[in-house]
Amino acid sequence: MAATSAGALLLLGGLLQVTDAPGPLPGSLLAAGGTLALVAAVTGLLALAALLCTALSRHGAPTAGRVQHAGRPGGALHDFGVPPHLRRHLAPHPEAAMTPCSPPDTLAPCPARAGKDRTPCSD
């Protein structure tokens, strides 16, 4: 955000200075743009240093097993992402079990609905 604002202010201040705009506005825009560029550079370096420290302190140097696991197709996303979530939340519940119904010519109640009602199967 600071870098984008700095670029816009520096560009606008430079254009106004080239066109010899009267007053202190071009100089103020250039000063504000320079300040924002300095803020962007410092925060970018701090973020990079924090990222590097986190990467080194969390797991240390990568081991061969982790490198192979991360490099295989699907990797950690397959092992820890969507499939386990789906297995956990879409596991069959005993009350909603899908069982085949009796043929329609026997008019026997559907086993899946045997406890709820005595409607014959139609499928």
Side-chain angles (χ1 to χ4, degrees):
M1 196 73 164
T4 305
S5 300
L9 289 177
L10 288 172
L11 180 66
L12 187 59
L15 287 175
L16 287 176
Q17 200 170 33
V18 167
T19 59
D20 291 328
L25 183 62
S28 297
L29 289 175
L30 288 174
T35 303
L36 282 172
L38 181 65
V39 167
V42 169
T43 57
L45 288 175
L46 286 175
L48 186 62
L51 182 66
L52 183 63
C53 287
T54 302
L56 291 177
S57 68
R58 181 161 306 190
H59 298 294
T63 62
R66 258 196 308 226
V67 171
Q68 287 176 347
H69 182 73
R72 100 171 181 246
L77 183 61
H78 181 267
D79 293 341
F80 304 110
V82 175
H85 174 77
L86 290 176
R87 280 196 290 287
R88 185 172 54 248
H89 290 288
L90 298 178
H93 299 286
E95 66 272 5
M98 300 281 289
T99 58
C101 292
S102 303
D105 57 331
T106 63
L107 296 179
C110 204
R113 293 184 281 177
K116 295 181 180 116
D117 61 12
R118 305 298 292 172
T119 307
C121 288
S122 60
D123 39 38

